[in-house]
Amino acid sequence: MQRRHFIATSAATVSALAAPTVWSQATPKLTPVKFTLDFRITGQTSPFFLALSKGYYKDEGLDVSIDVGAGSVASITRIASGVYQMGLGDISSLIEFQAAQTGTPLVQAVYQYYNRAPFAIIGRKDRGITTDFRSLEGKKIAAAAVESTRRAWPMVARKLRVKDDLFQWSTTDFASRDNVVVRGDVDGATYFHDSAVSLFARMKLDDLSILEYTSAGVNLYGNAILASNGIITQNPGAVAGFLRATNRAIQESMADPAAAIAATRLREPILNEAVELERWRITQRYIAAQDTRSHGLGDVFKRTLEQQVDEVVEVFGLKSRPGVEGVFNRAMLPTANSRALKA
């Protein structure tokens, strides 16, 4: 009896000592990655929250934290400062940022989220605004002080051969933009097309004209996933893992939008499901637009990006021209097969 008791006690002791070792092996240390959105949490960025909630980032060995942003231009400086390793930001603004830098780029695009920039001016029909950009002449258009849609307007003006000052800007905070349009303080406002869903909930769509920049023949790549030079050089595997997880979630968000919005509402419960589903419906038009049928999600055509670099340099009078390889780094993209649009 004593011998059997000794064996049982010894086995329990060995098991207890071994348990921590087994647990340590099962839970390797995750690499922290701080990611900044371009703006607040909405259906526009639901794939990132789907990847987070389903553990896709953890599967890649990453501990990803996602913070709200202060605009698609501000994301670039956040990443360049080293506070964030990755984020979502406007690629035209990245070109402008790099033109002012020397040496190795501090920030690069590594995955093209919006295959076409969802830039639009949305105006009130009762103020005489139609889908012809020339109808904006003499009108008052609301926009934030520094935001990509406003900054890209000179490219549209140049394409249409109209003056940059065709209309008057009314500098308005992002949060107040819908209010000033609804009240009639202004005749229209700049939007990411998918951001205008909040306006559509307050005004009848039939009462509004949507002037998409793409309809003016301005083919700009929009917000891209950006990464700092630090994480690209020191841990490219982390960047590649983040992109694999996100790409997987983008594909799933397109196949099942309701699941993506549900994952986003786990983080932001006050979101209206119907509104965010409609927002994502518009967003995915710009994510899976034009080029993606041939080269898949996340990539760019070199020639199209070269034209965008040339246009940004010329319109903004930049002193130097960044090379496209420095602007967009495709080395860490997921496989072409995984990025191919599903039927």
Side-chain angles (χ1 to χ4, degrees):
M1 290 293 291
Q2 289 179 342
R3 183 173 182 274
R4 282 198 296 272
H5 177 72
F6 173 77
I7 292 173
T9 303
S10 298
T13 302
V14 170
S15 177
L17 290 172
T21 302
V22 173
W23 176 256
S24 176
Q25 290 174 345
T27 56
K29 185 178 179 181
L30 301 176
T31 299
V33 174
K34 290 191 66 178
F35 184 86
T36 176
L37 296 174
D38 54 336
F39 195 38
R40 56 193 174 89
I41 297 168
T42 69
Q44 291 162 288
T45 50
S46 56
F48 299 101
F49 295 98
L50 183 66
L52 197 63
S53 69
K54 285 199 167 187
Y56 294 163
Y57 293 128
K58 285 189 176 180
D59 290 346
E60 296 287 351
L62 306 175
D63 178 16
V64 174
S65 60
I66 303 175
D67 291 340
V68 297
S72 54
V73 178
S75 296
I76 298 168
T77 54
R78 281 185 170 189
I79 298 167
S81 71
V83 176
Y84 290 87
Q85 290 80 47
M86 301 184 72
L88 198 61
D90 177 50
I91 202 163
S92 289
S93 298
L94 177 63
I95 294 166
E96 188 177 4
F97 177 83
Q98 286 195 3
Q101 308 297 308
T102 56
T104 304
L106 296 176
V107 182
Q108 289 183 297
V110 292
Y111 185 105
Q112 192 58 50
Y113 189 68
Y114 282 112
N115 180 262
R116 283 297 179 270
F119 300 159
I121 292 176
I122 300 180
R124 296 176 57 127
K125 288 182 179 178
D126 63 0
R127 299 295 178 83
I129 296 177
T130 69
T131 53
D132 183 345
F133 280 92
R134 292 170 181 82
S135 68
L136 296 172
E137 186 171 5
K139 299 297 190 290
K140 192 175 181 180
I141 304 300
V146 180
E147 52 108 351
S148 50
T149 308
R150 177 174 180 168
R151 290 187 58 73
W153 163 251
M155 300 182 200
V156 179
R158 182 170 176 265
K159 194 78 173 180
L160 298 176
R161 297 181 180 179
V162 299
K163 295 180 179 179
D164 286 0
D165 60 355
L166 182 69
F167 52 81
Q168 177 188 349
W169 289 113
S170 174
T171 300
T172 308
D173 183 76
F174 281 116
S176 304
R177 187 168 45 186
D178 289 354
N179 292 335
V180 296
V181 175
V182 172
R183 287 198 307 260
D185 298 344
V186 296
D187 304 303
T190 59
Y191 283 92
F192 270 29
H193 189 175
D194 37 12
S195 293
V197 171
S198 55
L199 177 65
F200 302 157
R202 299 176 62 182
M203 292 186 69
K204 292 180 181 179
L205 197 55
D206 289 344
D207 295 335
L208 298 167
S209 293
I210 302 173
L211 296 90
E212 300 179 41
Y213 284 18
T214 53
S215 69
V218 178
N219 292 319
L220 301 174
Y221 290 120
N223 280 6
I225 297 176
L226 312 177
S228 69
N229 177 61
I231 194 170
I232 289 173
T233 56
Q234 296 169 23
N235 199 345
V239 179
F242 183 94
L243 299 182
R244 280 193 299 270
T246 304
N247 182 77
R248 180 181 178 186
I250 291 172
Q251 295 276 24
E252 291 184 10
S253 297
M254 290 182 175
D256 187 2
I261 299 305
T264 310
R265 293 182 72 234
L266 290 175
R267 172 69 178 268
E268 198 69 60
I270 65 171
L271 293 177
N272 181 294
E273 181 181 13
V275 169
E276 298 311 320
L277 280 169
E278 175 61 16
R279 195 190 307 274
W280 172 250
R281 185 189 69 79
I282 299 172
T283 297
Q284 68 178 11
R285 282 176 43 199
Y286 291 93
I287 291 176
Q290 297 190 29
D291 304 351
T292 50
R293 291 292 172 187
S294 57
H295 62 45
L297 298 166
D299 204 354
V300 298
F301 276 135
K302 182 179 179 181
R303 181 58 188 146
T304 304
L305 184 55
E306 284 176 339
Q307 291 172 343
Q308 185 164 346
V309 171
D310 290 341
E311 194 155 15
V312 171
V313 169
E314 185 173 346
V315 168
F316 294 114
L318 306 182
K319 294 181 179 180
S320 65
R321 182 192 185 281
V324 293
E325 293 79 9
V327 173
F328 190 88
N329 185 339
R330 60 167 41 88
M332 293 150 287
L333 281 174
T335 64
N337 184 59
S338 70
R339 292 184 294 101
L341 284 178
K342 304 297 186 285

